[in-house]
Amino acid sequence: MKPMSAIKRSCICALCIAFCYVLPLAFHALGLATTFSPIHIPVLLCGLLCGPVYGAFCGVAGPVLSSVLSGMPSATALISMVPELLVYGLVSGLLFRLIHTKNFYADIYVALIPAMVLGRVIGGAAKMLFYLSDGTAYTLSLWASAYFVQTLPGTILQLAVIPALVLVLTVAGLIPRRYPKQGVKKA
């Protein structure tokens, strides 16, 4: 199968941006949005499927569009969410493009995990700068709690759902196989 065209990447990116609006609404309705961070899923997925530029764009456009249409996230939350999600899309797309372990799942996790950690570091740094400008202390323990402890269920969900989505899209022929000669190993 030949590589995806720019038009197909743009369409997938647009769908991911739409999911940045829809998924948080569904999770907020259930009271689970803060715990599961649903907006992270389409951004990370866009980076993996479409590459770093589209992933970074989705990481900026998705939360901004959601904020404009629904008021969630709030304008103050955007200050740390946009840099965090931009890094998610950029780094996951970049690493997925560069890393080739010859194992479909290893490639996905080697792209996802560093992107998630680096995004949380950048998001925390942006939040720290915001709090510094406000004169409020933002400690390392607050950052670790907000970005790692409270969002652990979301991290687990993302690490389970995203590889499964990439596999389903690959098996369905909607995206090219990563290793065409080997196919996709089924679990």
Side-chain angles (χ1 to χ4, degrees):
M1 183 179 280
K2 63 182 181 178
M4 284 194 289
S5 68
I7 292 172
K8 190 169 188 177
R9 289 177 198 268
S10 297
C11 290
I12 291 171
C13 182
L15 282 171
C16 288
I17 291 169
F19 278 117
C20 285
Y21 170 67
V22 174
L23 281 178
L25 285 179
F27 277 76
H28 274 289
L30 299 172
L32 301 171
T34 303
T35 303
F36 288 104
S37 307
I39 200 167
H40 298 190
I41 294 170
V43 173
L44 288 162
L45 188 63
C46 185
L48 293 173
L49 299 179
C50 302
V53 174
Y54 290 97
F57 179 75
C58 181
V60 173
V64 170
L65 179 70
S66 181
S67 181
V68 167
L69 295 177
S70 70
M72 298 177 293
S74 66
T76 54
L78 281 177
I79 292 169
S80 61
M81 281 185 73
V82 168
E84 176 185 6
L85 294 173
L86 180 143
V87 168
Y88 282 173
L90 179 72
V91 173
S92 66
L94 190 61
L95 289 177
F96 198 60
R97 182 172 287 168
L98 296 175
I99 304 294
H100 293 279
T101 65
K102 304 284 190 233
N103 182 297
F104 178 75
Y105 294 106
D107 289 355
I108 292 174
Y109 286 114
V110 168
L112 278 179
I113 293 169
M116 292 167 79
V117 170
L118 187 58
R120 283 172 167 82
V121 168
I122 297 299
K127 190 170 275 191
M128 181 195 67
L129 290 173
F130 174 72
Y131 279 114
L132 281 177
S133 70
D134 189 25
T136 308
Y138 189 70
T139 65
L140 186 60
S141 63
L142 280 174
W143 168 74
S145 176
Y147 281 90
F148 292 96
V149 177
Q150 293 174 359
T151 61
L152 185 60
T155 301
I156 294 167
L157 177 70
Q158 293 156 22
L159 291 173
V161 167
I162 293 170
L165 288 171
V166 175
L167 176 65
V168 167
L169 293 171
T170 302
V171 170
L174 297 173
I175 61 170
R177 291 187 181 275
R178 182 129 174 110
Y179 300 109
K181 293 179 183 173
Q182 295 174 344
V184 176
K185 294 179 183 176
K186 295 184 180 177

